[in-house]
Amino acid sequence: MIRKANARDIDAVERHYDELLAFEAEYGTRTNWKPGVYPTRRVAEGGVEDGSLFVMEENGELRASMLLNHVQLESYAVIPWAYEAEPERVLVIHTLCVPPSQAGRGVGSRMVRFALEEASRRGCETLRLDTWEHNQPAAKLYGRLGFRYAGKTAVLFAGAIAENLIFFEKRVDRASDGSA
């Protein structure tokens, strides 16, 4: 089940962030996330407060989380999007976190499909997201799910330039179940 997160979920979401960051410290970085900078407990708390944090729960255990809202960072303005839409008609996935202990179970696919369905329910025209170029598992997932590569840029993140942020988009099919 994928649902809006609540305050009781914050500890588990924070553990997922920590698990992923520890994995990256040991095996090599795939995201541009930084321990103590992003994502943090405060990011998850803010998502609960504004209703943008969603979690997947199975058998009483959280499997993944993501922020889902209309916020497009400044870097989104330089990308040559194929599907132009008013900001309120664009839904954006942020901080999709599938911790290594949950990898390989289709969790990420289900979260992204849910985001497409949610975009359709909200009357959005497109779903957008970004990831670091080195996050090839995520890039491959988005490609398998029919997302279009939209571009690449450098951004200022945690006081340093992150050179390789890549962007994806998918048109939302509002006439069906959102699986455009």
Side-chain angles (χ1 to χ4, degrees), residues 14 31 59 68 108 123 133 161 163 174 180:
E14 182 181 35
T31 70
N59 302 319
L68 195 57
E133 185 175 55
I161 297 293
E163 293 286 337
R174 294 189 316 258

Side-chain angles (χ1 to χ4, degrees), residues 116-133:
L116 282 162
E117 292 166 4
E118 185 67 15
S120 179
R121 279 191 290 278
R122 294 183 189 191
C124 292
E125 297 175 17
T126 186
L127 181 64
R128 294 178 179 166
L129 56 93
D130 63 76
T131 190
W132 200 33
E133 185 175 55

Side-chain angles (χ1 to χ4, degrees), residues 101-180:
S101 62
Q102 301 301 318
R105 300 178 186 192
V107 172
S109 294
R110 287 184 280 169
M111 292 294 282
V112 174
R113 285 188 181 105
F114 172 85
L116 282 162
E117 292 166 4
E118 185 67 15
S120 179
R121 279 191 290 278
R122 294 183 189 191
C124 292
E125 297 175 17
T126 186
L127 181 64
R128 294 178 179 166
L129 56 93
D130 63 76
T131 190
W132 200 33
E133 185 175 55
H134 297 288
N135 193 349
Q136 285 303 303
K140 288 177 183 176
L141 168 68
Y142 305 136
R144 280 194 313 271
L145 293 175
F147 280 76
R148 177 190 166 279
Y149 172 82
K152 174 173 141 177
T153 192
V155 296
L156 182 62
F157 180 77
I161 297 293
E163 293 286 337
N164 303 315
L165 198 61
I166 57 176
F167 298 80
F168 294 88
E169 66 181 329
K170 185 168 182 178
R171 182 173 296 284
V172 174
D173 181 2
R174 294 189 316 258
S176 68
D177 65 354
S179 59

Side-chain angles (χ1 to χ4, degrees), residues 29 31 42 62 77 82 93 123 139 148 151:
T29 301
T31 70
R42 181 65 199 123
L62 289 192
I93 296 174
R148 177 190 166 279

